[in-house]
Amino acid sequence: MKYTAARIYRAVLTVTTRLEKGLAELQRRPDRGDISITTVIIWVAAVTGALVIAGTIAAVIAKYNGNLNGI
């Protein structure tokens, strides 16, 4: 893929414009209803718990794989 200066300029301009609009919106409405830190902590704990459970199941299956073949 060959990038020309015009394509790179357009990409930078698009990102810059989007960032400026976001900052203007933030100044206009400081409380936009963003999620709270408690919600983030709950989601991280839920995902971590799911990964631990999945890892435990995978480890048990890997350990007893030979014994489970006859089932």
Side-chain angles (χ1 to χ4, degrees):
M1 219 190 252
K2 192 172 186 179
Y3 291 103
T4 63
R7 289 179 79 184
I8 293 172
Y9 176 77
R10 268 192 312 242
V12 170
L13 182 64
T14 302
V15 170
T16 304
T17 304
R18 177 78 173 137
L19 182 61
E20 287 174 352
K21 286 181 182 179
L23 290 174
E25 178 71 14
L26 182 61
Q27 289 175 350
R28 190 173 70 83
R29 291 188 324 161
D31 183 19
R32 299 182 330 222
D34 291 338
I35 60 173
S36 68
I37 190 68
T38 306
T39 305
V40 173
I41 291 171
I42 291 169
W43 273 102
V44 168
V47 169
T48 303
L51 289 174
V52 167
I53 291 169
T56 303
I57 291 170
V60 168
I61 288 175
K63 183 176 180 181
Y64 295 107
N65 195 23
N67 297 338
L68 296 175
N69 283 337
I71 295 178

